[in-house]
Amino acid sequence: AQLIVGRAAIEKLYTDGFAGLLKGSTLALEPGTTHAVTPTVKVMEGRYTTGGAAAGKGRYINTIIRQGSSWLIASLVTIPDPPAPPG
């Protein structure tokens, strides 16, 4: 696992990744539930599916915070599905 902090570092991670190893990959999100912790903090859960070089499925959990009129991601966690058992 890797901890990335700050908008510039996060932007660089995604820019570099989608220009290189992840070029041509896709991401689809299936929203699940949203829990309001406070009027300015929410936790969102759902499922993701990726295609291409990074093919996989799993869950995501985002913590978002309201700053002014915008909602910003404060934390993003992905939990890949375990591999299918050999059959």
Side-chain angles (χ1 to χ4, degrees):
Q2 185 177 15
L3 177 63
I4 306 297
V5 178
R7 185 180 188 108
I10 294 167
E11 184 175 338
K12 181 176 179 358
L13 175 76
Y14 280 98
T15 299
D16 292 351
F18 284 105
L21 179 63
L22 300 176
K23 189 171 187 168
S25 294
T26 60
L27 171 65
L29 300 177
E30 181 183 323
T33 59
T34 299
H35 307 280
V37 179
T38 71
T40 59
V41 177
K42 293 182 181 183
V43 176
M44 304 169 67
E45 301 177 57
R47 302 239 352 122
Y48 71 86
T49 303
T50 55
K57 294 181 178 187
R59 293 181 49 224
Y60 68 85
I61 303 169
N62 295 344
T63 302
I64 60 173
I65 58 171
R66 186 174 186 110
Q67 286 190 347
S69 62
S70 299
W71 286 94
L72 306 174
I73 296 174
S75 169
L76 182 148
V77 177
T78 56
I79 305 162
D81 287 348

